[in-house]
């Protein structure tokens, strides 16, 4: 697989398909392969787009450092912008982000809106009023990993219920990030938030928001607030695996 150098990391990526350029971003502790295991499968977009999926720094096949600041969302946005400038310097791209990828994408789009054509925001994470409580969860997770290792974190995660839209998963998918980087990634996420609502409201890109119900880490409150802020936007909330599986076609229709 090709790689691209950014300060402190080598980003591993793969490009496939044909058509307008599309970049896909995964969630915290996940990877482009893990999202497929999580049934967040948008590979059908390769039928209509030239799709580049990459692993964020420290995740999957990409390298990273044990510096929490490396995993702050504005830093991840700089990585995204550098990658698309490298791959598609002369045209704006479509982009699809999942969870942490939503935060990365919105930071990039609010600072460089000219680089993006259409957006898909999948399970937006906690933000603004709900972010402080989630930050405490991340700090507790970092403390647990540092004290007892990632297996203790995995045991704790298995006790949490899956959202109804993920009811067909046999169990939570294991993190795809080295143990030595996991605490740093959590601490970077703990000091991150979405851009200010005022900045998001200035985005003109047509946007599709795909959320699911009953997930404290990805509350519909964030999706609904984004829906209120963005001027050209659609929102779909999934309550069942079947409704989640319909997202790929919705994304295809939106990006088409």
């Amino acid at each position: 697989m090709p790689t691209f150098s950014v300060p402190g990391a080598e980003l591993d990526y793969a490009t496939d398909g044909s058509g307008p350029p599309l970049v896909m971003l995964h969630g915290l502790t996940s990877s482009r392969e893990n999202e497929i295991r999580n049934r967040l499968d948008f590979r059908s977009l390769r039928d209509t787009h030239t799709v580049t999926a990459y692993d964020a720094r420290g995740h999957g096949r990409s390298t990273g450092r044990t510096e929490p600041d490396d995993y702050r969302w504005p830093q991840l946005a700089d990585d995204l912008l550098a990658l698309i400038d490298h791959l598609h310097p002369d045209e704006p791209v479509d982009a699809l982000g999942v969870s942490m990828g939503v935060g990365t994408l919105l930071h990039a789009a609010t600072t460089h809106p000219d680089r993006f054509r259409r957006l898909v925001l999948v399970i937006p994470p906690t933000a603004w009023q709900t972010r402080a409580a989630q930050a405490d969860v991340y700090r507790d997770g970092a403390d647990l990993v540092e004290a007892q290792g990632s297996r203790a974190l995995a045991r704790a995660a298995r006790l949490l219920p899956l959202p109804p839209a993920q009811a067909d998963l046999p169990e939570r998918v294991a993190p795809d990030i080295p143990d030595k980087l996991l605490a740093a990634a959590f601490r970077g996420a703990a000091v991150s938030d979405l851009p200010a609502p005022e900045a998001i409201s200035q985005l003109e890109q047509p946007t599709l928001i795909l959320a699911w119900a009953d997930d404290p880490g990805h509350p519909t409150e964030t999706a609904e607030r984004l829906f209120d802020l963005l001027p050209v936007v659609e929102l779909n909330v999934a309550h069942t695996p079947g409704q989640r599986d319909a997202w790929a076609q919705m994304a295809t229709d939106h990006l088409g």
Side-chain angles (χ1 to χ4, degrees):
M1 296 292 181
T3 61
F4 177 70
S5 296
V6 292
E10 291 285 329
L11 303 182
D12 190 277
Y13 68 92
T15 300
D16 196 8
S18 61
L22 166 67
V23 179
M24 295 204 299
L25 303 81
H26 62 76
L28 179 65
T29 78
S30 190
S31 65
R32 61 183 190 265
E33 292 182 354
N34 253 18
E35 296 297 29
I36 296 170
R37 300 185 187 102
N38 275 317
R39 311 287 170 86
L40 296 172
D41 188 353
F42 293 91
R43 287 177 291 179
S44 60
L45 289 169
R46 298 170 184 172
D47 296 337
T48 56
H49 284 70
T50 299
V51 177
T52 296
Y54 75 99
D55 292 335
R57 60 169 64 225
H59 295 69
R61 296 190 178 99
S62 294
T63 65
R65 304 182 295 195
T66 56
E67 298 290 338
D69 281 351
D70 283 4
Y71 304 94
R72 295 172 57 250
W73 293 348
Q75 175 59 62
L76 300 182
D78 287 345
D79 293 349
L80 168 63
L81 291 165
L83 180 62
I84 62 175
D85 284 348
H86 169 67
L87 295 173
H88 305 288
D90 300 321
E91 60 182 326
V93 304
D94 293 330
L96 181 153
V98 178
S99 189
M100 177 184 76
V102 171
T104 301
L105 180 51
L106 287 176
H107 275 280
T110 52
T111 55
H112 291 80
D114 58 304
R115 299 302 287 121
F116 300 94
R117 190 179 74 101
R118 290 176 180 265
L119 309 177
V120 180
L121 310 180
V122 183
I123 56 170
T126 54
W128 308 307
Q129 293 90 340
T130 61
R131 192 66 189 168
Q134 186 66 30
D136 288 340
V137 171
Y138 288 143
R139 293 187 186 97
D140 290 344
D143 291 343
L144 181 61
V145 169
E146 289 170 341
Q148 301 182 38
S150 62
R151 291 185 179 180
L153 182 71
R155 288 194 297 270
R158 283 196 292 269
L159 300 176
L160 300 175
L162 289 164
Q166 294 293 81
D168 57 339
L169 266 64
E171 60 182 358
R172 290 185 179 271
V173 176
D176 194 0
I177 181 171
D179 285 4
K180 65 180 181 179
L181 303 179
L182 186 52
F186 276 144
R187 296 194 188 285
V191 294
S192 297
D193 202 346
L194 294 188
E198 296 78 12
I200 291 174
S201 69
Q202 299 304 308
L203 291 175
E204 298 179 352
Q205 291 85 354
T207 301
L208 173 64
I209 303 171
L210 301 172
W212 57 37
D214 300 323
D215 181 355
H218 306 90
T220 54
E221 177 182 347
T222 305
E224 290 164 353
R225 179 68 171 132
L226 290 169
F227 180 78
D228 290 338
L229 288 169
L230 291 161
V232 186
V233 63
E234 300 173 69
L235 170 63
N236 178 270
V237 179
H239 298 266
T240 68
Q243 292 173 344
R244 177 211 62 210
D245 288 343
W247 284 354
Q249 185 59 52
M250 291 180 189
T252 297
D253 295 342
H254 172 74
L255 296 173

